[in-house]
Amino acid sequence: MAVSAEALRELHRIHRQRADLLDRLRQGPRQTERCQINVKRAQTSLGDAKAELQKGRLGADDKQLQLRDREAKIDVLKSKLNACTSNREFQTLKEQIAADGQANCVLEDEIFEALERNDELQLGVQSGKSGVEAAESEKTEVGARFAKQDEELNAELTRVEAELTEAEQGLPAEIREEYDRVAAARGADALAAVEDQVCGGCFQQLTIQTQNELLLGALLFCKRCGCLMYLTE
Ligand SMILES: [Zn+2]
């Protein structure tokens, strides 16, 4: 059991460095996913704006068609005026033409409003398109940035893992199995520094005996949390 506390401290440091690299490597996929969600959201928003504009255009078209129908109807009524055989009939027709003309005025106002609204909806579609473009360009930019960063991190990870393997080779065979099991399950949390007789893994006070054994250089796993313990400097 010729492993010094210093060697364990170093092992822990390498473990933490590896954990940090793995954590940073997880950022890329997370950011990419966030960008993807933003693109989808922008596309949905654009789709909604387009549908709204389409609906607005159909509504305006409908009203314009209605207006033309009524104007045609007024023309027909006007053409009948000359054929009237009684004053009463003439008056009735005149009134109907006036009423239809009035209705058409209302309709013309409605058409004007609908066209104005469609202009606004068109602006909404434009802004929706800009939104999609912005989200897509962010996705591309983030993707490129993380691809470059991940390449560097992976190279660093390869180096640190080699360092870890080397440091682990210094562990005595009798604790290797338990260490491997704890390390596989917990990574950097497989080791814990002991400070003021407290285990850094579970923050429990160690017994005097455990503390003394550690001082004598024994390799001990905490009875409570299972961490491989080492003394701080
Ligand atoms: Zn503990």
Side-chain angles (χ1 to χ4, degrees):
M1 286 208 182
V3 177
S4 63
E6 196 190 339
L8 290 180
R9 272 199 296 274
E10 176 64 4
L11 181 61
H12 201 185
R13 184 195 66 75
I14 299 167
H15 258 297
R16 278 194 295 246
Q17 198 180 355
R18 176 175 177 266
D20 176 58
L21 288 169
L22 289 173
D23 194 45
R24 286 162 68 192
L25 277 164
R26 277 189 287 268
Q27 280 176 11
R30 268 204 297 264
Q31 293 297 323
T32 305
E33 193 189 352
R34 178 185 65 77
C35 290
Q36 187 56 46
I37 288 169
N38 283 346
V39 168
K40 276 213 167 132
R41 200 175 286 157
Q43 282 169 341
T44 304
S45 169
L46 173 61
D48 289 349
K50 279 180 172 172
E52 196 73 9
L53 175 61
Q54 176 72 1
K55 211 173 112 189
R57 279 178 175 161
L58 287 175
D61 286 352
D62 257 8
K63 284 185 195 296
Q64 271 163 336
L65 210 63
Q66 214 179 328
L67 181 67
R68 277 200 291 277
D69 278 355
R70 284 201 198 158
E71 277 168 352
K73 192 182 151 205
I74 289 173
D75 287 344
V76 171
L77 292 177
K78 277 180 180 167
S79 73
K80 283 183 181 168
L81 281 174
N82 289 333
C84 282
T85 50
S86 71
N87 192 37
R88 192 165 168 270
E89 196 185 343
F90 185 81
Q91 279 308 322
T92 309
L93 263 181
K94 274 287 221 193
E95 279 162 22
Q96 199 175 346
I97 288 166
D100 283 352
Q102 193 65 35
N104 278 359
C105 279
V106 173
L107 199 53
E108 274 168 2
D109 284 349
E110 284 177 13
I111 289 167
F112 181 74
E113 279 166 24
L115 291 177
E116 258 188 341
R117 187 169 145 65
N118 285 352
D119 284 347
E120 279 168 30
L121 292 174
Q122 179 65 50
L123 290 179
V125 170
Q126 286 306 332
S127 117
K129 279 180 185 166
S130 307
V132 170
E133 276 167 22
E136 273 170 351
S137 99
E138 193 204 8
K139 189 184 147 197
T140 308
E141 187 263 317
V142 165
R145 180 152 47 90
F146 277 99
K148 187 174 178 294
Q149 186 180 306
D150 286 1
E151 202 182 304
E152 289 162 10
L153 290 175
N154 275 315
E156 180 72 354
L157 183 64
T158 305
R159 189 188 65 74
V160 168
E161 284 187 333
E163 213 183 336
L164 182 66
T165 304
E166 203 186 322
E168 283 170 337
Q169 271 160 8
L171 293 171
E174 59 265 37
I175 68 152
R176 193 57 205 261
E177 200 180 320
E178 189 167 0
Y179 162 82
D180 282 346
R181 191 178 53 75
V182 181
R186 302 190 196 168
D189 292 333
L191 288 102
V194 170
E195 206 168 355
D196 298 329
Q197 291 127 54
V198 169
C199 165
C202 60
F203 303 105
Q204 294 296 312
Q205 183 88 30
L206 302 177
T207 61
I208 302 279
Q209 192 197 338
T210 306
Q211 177 74 15
N212 285 338
E213 284 176 41
L214 283 172
L215 283 168
L216 291 170
L219 289 173
L220 300 174
F221 292 89
C222 174
K223 287 193 178 71
R224 187 176 285 267
C225 71
C227 281
L228 178 57
M229 299 182 287
Y230 62 89
L231 296 171
T232 52
E233 284 171 280

